Amino acid sequence: MSINQYQQSMNLKIFLLFAIMTFLAYGISLNNDFAFDDYPTIVNNTKVHEGIKAIPSLFVHPIKHDNKRRIIYRPVTYLTHALEYQLWGLSAPLGHLVNLLLFLTASTLLFLFLHKLFKDYPIYIPIAITLLFIVHPIHTESVANIKGRDDIICMIFELLCLYNALLYIDHKKITSLLISFLCFILAMFAKEMALVVLALLPLSIFFYTTNIKKHIYPTITITGLCLLFTVIYFVSAVLLGNMEAANLYTAETNIIVGSKTLGEQLGTAIYVWGLGLKMHFIPHPLLYYYGFKHIPLYSLASPQALISLLIWLGLGLYALKNLPKKDLVSYGILFYIITYSLFGNIVTPAPIIFAERFLFIPSIGFCIALIGFCYKFVQHSKNKNKKNQFKKFLQNNQRLVIPFMAILALCVFLTAQRSATWKDNFTLFSNDIKYLKKSVKANKDYATTLALKDGIKYQATIIKSAEKAVKIMPSSANYRFLGEIYFNYDNMEGAVKALQKALQINPNNNKANLDLGQVYVVNKDFDTALTYLEKAYQSKYTDPEKYIYLARAHAQKPDRDLVTAMKVLHEGLEKHPNELTILKDMNRIHLLNGNIDAAKKIFDQVKTLDPLDHEIYSDFSRYYNAIGDREKAERYYNQAENLKQKK
């Protein structure tokens, strides 16, 4: 067998090894449903549901979440979700399969990039780094949660950018330069965090070359092009209003935002840097959320902050001192620092104080540094024959190889176990709440998910979790959430107290006004109900529910004011032309007035928007039953029942 044939055979075996490890660690996620961020990103994202029709607008307009407060411009990532929806609709198993294949692609590209970058090192170094990266449990959020695809796609194009930059350094071909630049653009379009490439490019080129002075102009050229695009990208985002404002970050997601002292802000940020490092060595417990108040505030003088600071200062100094020696550990440390710096809370608070997905790409640096450290203890074979070199390495270094294989096996087990936890919201939240008892969001998520699962069975736990969220953080939003829970369990007295407390803290909490109005409607106190509902109606709050609840109150009060109710609904329909609830409420008023022609027009509109909607048939069934037309009443009733079963 020739050297080329041997190399091809070796490459195929390496790829198969990566594929096997990927599916051993994450294959169980193919049984998973949608979970957590999959819902706003995919399941409830109307833009994604447009399929290929959404493609032009994805590249022109950002996606807006959380009542249009969060602005996300990641067209390449959302393009994959839209194409999936076009091909097979909402399918969690196929979505997970795509994630696994993309992750395998990213891991293979990681090996190819490292094999080229570490050209003076044996091939088992990039193999070991890639294997550790594949199976590390810290990646489960990005791989086992379909939404995490943005991290994977971003990594793919970042690596392609870096790999082609090295090719450009080698041959000075304009093609490699343009491919590298294009891949940087696509990485930015996958996730804006790709801007770390601006620092990774010169770092990697410095490590790759023997004389950086000879390659200074190519380095400036490729880095300068990427920098120019980055400036254009962010200036355009600001001018077009497509930039997510930092003032939307709250203490509930990042406790540093709520801190009033610089010492606490820096102390907590430095502690979180240490937490990230600890999670690489001891990935337990892995959690879907780390916000308020799971991670408390730490002063700069606290032991936790000081230990973290000393560790990172030591690592940083070591990296800067030894990088000129082309030291693997130094490169890995600097890679980690650069890629994690955007989430490090030092310069500016991150959207969330800490998340495992923030470590997805930085963990490459960790794997490089760890394997680089172990490499210092390797006994090298003098055999230059590539066919025997790998075999000799295994024979001479069993004291390193065996523990490494044991670590890989343990990581596969832990990663598969954690991937199974991402099965659905109920499984995920039920597992993680054991470690998130001090978290506001986790308690609220747990309560909401239990209510959807079986509100009667879990009633006591739901109420307890909502009350705990208020105890941890007595904010207007949390009192409003508690009021909603009390309302759902017919505790009107508790609901009134909680909602009034919410409005006392924040009189502009329009959702609390709407909920309190609803409580008073149930209590038949329509005058008080209309007072609160009108407050929300007169506000800048734009959700359709403000029109729906006010119209229903006018329609339900003893002296039914259907004219005002219809007027309010018409105004709501102008703002929300395809809102089904508004249309169905208008239909009910038309039926009450006996205006069957107008009702049938709305019927056709509703069926176009949602062919499986059964409520519209039930409304017509009740109408015909009321006027004595039993035949039509029964026909519409049967159609409604058939649609219920389909839905």
Side-chain angles (χ1 to χ4, degrees), residues 157-177:
F157 287 114
E158 282 186 15
L159 291 171
L160 285 171
C161 172
L162 294 169
Y163 184 85
N164 281 279
L166 298 185
L167 289 178
Y168 176 61
I169 293 298
D170 282 339
H171 309 295
K172 306 301 185 293
K173 288 184 178 179
I174 193 70
T175 306
S176 298
L177 172 65

Side-chain angles (χ1 to χ4, degrees), residues 510-511 513-514 531-541 546:
N510 291 301
K511 288 189 176 183
N513 277 314
L514 289 172
T531 300
Y532 287 103
L533 294 172
E534 284 285 351
K535 284 182 182 178
Y537 175 72
Q538 297 297 336
S539 71
K540 294 180 180 180
Y541 184 64
K546 82 172 187 179

